[in-house]
Amino acid sequence: MTNHGSQGFRKVAHPSPMPDPERIELIRNPGFGRAFSDHMVTITWTADRGWHEMTIGPRGPLSLSPAAAVLHYAQEIFEGLKAYRTSSGEITLFRPDMNARRFALSAERLAMPALPDNLFIESVEALTSIDRAWIPDGEGSLYLRPFMIATEPFLGVRPAAEYLYVVIASAVGPYFSGGKSTITVWVSEDYTRAAKGGTGAAKCGGNYAASLTAQAVASAEGCDQVLFLDSAEHRWIEELGGMNIFLVFEDGSLQTPPIGGTILPGITRDSLIRLAREEGRVVREEPYAFDQLKADVASGRLREAFACGTAAVISPIGKLKTTDGPIVIGDGNAGEVSLALKRKLVGIQRGDVPDSFGWLHKIA
Ligand SMILES: *Cc1c(COP(=O)(O)O)cnc(C)c1O
């Protein structure tokens, strides 16, 4: 019987949390994904006991058998969401119910046990609450990283019978360093990220492992990110290694590739579609060919492009690069529509713009 966890977490006291002056210094300019908070959540799953041992305690190394299935067959999934301090000093999460749902769907695809949504939400609430001092002031936030790994020591190939769910947190600033106003994106014409029937819609580490060679090519080409085309025809725009993509046209409409198994259903993507439609914009969730993009850039019909995700929020794309050379989007600068949508989304997350969709989840 699965334990639904309404009894709360066992708390293990931290013997030596980071002293205030050190933490304050560390999170003043935290970068992305390096400044980890004091605590972590762990919950164990076994076939006979279900979810149990819900613990919140000092963050520290995990002890794993070298035969743990995750180390051999990559049975791993994760999530990413942020805790914000609003202008009025409240602490909020943004649509954590969506992360909980997606985590359960990723688990299903990777043949892992589903963590009940309420337990997922309780776990991120608990860590945010105990490490609230780690939320930077100003534009920073606390990035929460829930993940699940197969821990059973067994080298046979089948779904494992033991799992560990963990949540860690990291104080973060902007994802792209140097405060760039636009990013440059390499279009990969050989590597692909996901195929129909594969794991493209699941948030699993394996998808990222498979994207790193293409990302390394992008870096070598002087680009910040890689854009993948579909695996069947190498023709349709899909998404970046860890971000969805939107295109903005001269009539003010937007287009983004449809969710269909090979694209990660981003919560930022979903939120922006709703916000843009609320403003009266047309948003098409339809396939868009890379050749069409080139034609629309040449004709001036395509005005802006941006990447989006929790970590990077909205990152305007100034330029694409291919083996044939660069393609400048609009005038190469951050577009008006992209920036306005970013202001609105960040405004809602920070409590400065009315939350008309009820997306904010306050931490008591
Ligand atoms: C996490 C992720 C996104 C963005 O999803 P958000 O919910 O908006 O953070 C996009 N693409 C990939 C491949 C991802 O892993």
Side-chain angles (χ1 to χ4, degrees):
M1 195 37 215
T2 299
N3 180 342
H4 283 257
S6 44
Q7 78 277 34
F9 288 84
R10 184 172 70 97
K11 221 165 133 179
V12 178
H14 199 308
S16 55
M18 189 178 286
D20 289 351
E22 257 179 73
R23 184 193 65 250
I24 290 165
E25 182 53 32
L26 184 62
I27 70 176
R28 197 188 305 280
N29 201 349
F32 192 93
R34 292 179 193 284
F36 296 103
S37 71
D38 289 319
H39 295 87
M40 68 179 182
V41 165
T42 55
I43 314 180
T44 302
W45 188 92
T46 54
D48 53 336
R49 295 183 63 193
W51 293 105
H52 63 283
E53 277 177 37
M54 299 167 54
T55 306
I56 185 159
R59 180 181 50 78
L62 303 174
S63 173
L64 279 186
S65 164
V70 64
L71 301 177
H72 303 275
Y73 309 125
Q75 218 187 346
E76 189 267 359
I77 56 169
F78 66 95
E79 270 303 325
L81 67 164
K82 285 174 170 173
Y84 306 87
R85 186 175 288 119
T86 66
S87 323
S88 59
E90 284 178 322
I91 294 170
T92 63
L93 300 171
F94 184 73
R95 307 185 77 186
D97 51 311
M98 297 282 283
N99 297 93
R101 224 37 330 266
R102 189 169 65 188
F103 196 65
L105 293 173
S106 297
E108 188 181 333
R109 180 64 186 83
L110 275 283
M112 301 169 99
L115 182 75
D117 290 12
N118 66 319
L119 200 44
F120 179 98
I121 291 175
E122 274 179 57
S123 70
V124 292
E125 283 177 344
L127 187 60
T128 304
S129 185
I130 201 166
D131 280 339
R132 61 179 61 214
W134 284 85
I135 306 176
D137 288 329
E139 283 183 35
S141 53
L142 186 65
Y143 184 79
L144 300 158
R145 169 51 62 85
F147 63 100
M148 194 202 311
I149 56 174
T151 51
E152 186 191 2
F154 179 61
L155 296 183
V157 179
R158 58 148 170 76
E162 293 168 19
Y163 296 88
L164 183 68
Y165 168 75
V166 187
V167 192
I168 54 173
S170 167
V172 299
Y175 186 78
F176 293 105
S177 56
K180 311 187 167 198
S181 60
T182 60
I183 58 170
T184 302
V185 173
W186 175 252
V187 183
S188 184
E189 285 158 303
D190 39 12
Y191 296 109
T192 58
R193 194 192 82 92
K196 284 249 166 16
T199 56
K203 212 166 171 73
C204 62
N207 289 342
Y208 279 70
S211 75
L212 295 178
T213 306
Q215 179 63 44
V217 172
S219 300
E221 296 286 349
C223 296
D224 302 289
Q225 279 286 313
V226 58
L227 173 65
F228 290 102
L229 305 178
D230 76 290
S231 60
E233 298 179 71
H234 290 238
R235 182 174 163 214
W236 306 98
I237 287 176
E238 296 231 303
E239 66 168 315
L240 281 62
M243 288 167 232
N244 296 117
I245 188 168
F246 278 81
L247 306 143
V248 184
F249 297 89
E250 65 182 344
D251 62 357
S253 68
L254 281 82
Q255 186 155 341
T256 189
I259 298 302
T262 58
I263 288 172
L264 202 288
I267 296 162
T268 316
R269 175 188 180 280
D270 181 80
S271 306
L272 292 172
I273 291 172
R274 285 164 200 268
L275 287 176
R277 286 186 179 151
E278 189 195 35
E279 283 177 1
R281 292 183 187 280
V282 171
V283 184
R284 291 177 298 276
E285 294 181 72
E286 289 169 18
Y288 189 61
F290 185 52
D291 282 342
Q292 186 69 49
L293 179 144
K294 290 184 208 166
D296 288 343
V297 166
S299 72
R301 189 175 158 255
L302 180 68
R303 290 292 167 82
E304 305 178 22
F306 61 84
C308 67
T310 298
V313 197
I314 283 183
S315 295
I317 299 171
K319 195 162 64 174
L320 299 172
K321 274 180 81 180
T322 71
T323 44
D324 292 338
I327 301 170
V328 176
I329 309 288
D331 62 4
N333 294 313
E336 259 171 59
V337 176
S338 310
L339 291 179
L341 281 168
K342 179 176 182 176
R343 272 195 301 276
K344 186 170 269 185
L345 179 64
V346 171
I348 293 171
Q349 290 167 336
R350 302 273 166 192
D352 298 329
V353 169
D355 174 24
S356 57
F357 290 96
W359 285 338
L360 295 189
H361 181 97
K362 284 180 194 157
I363 301 289

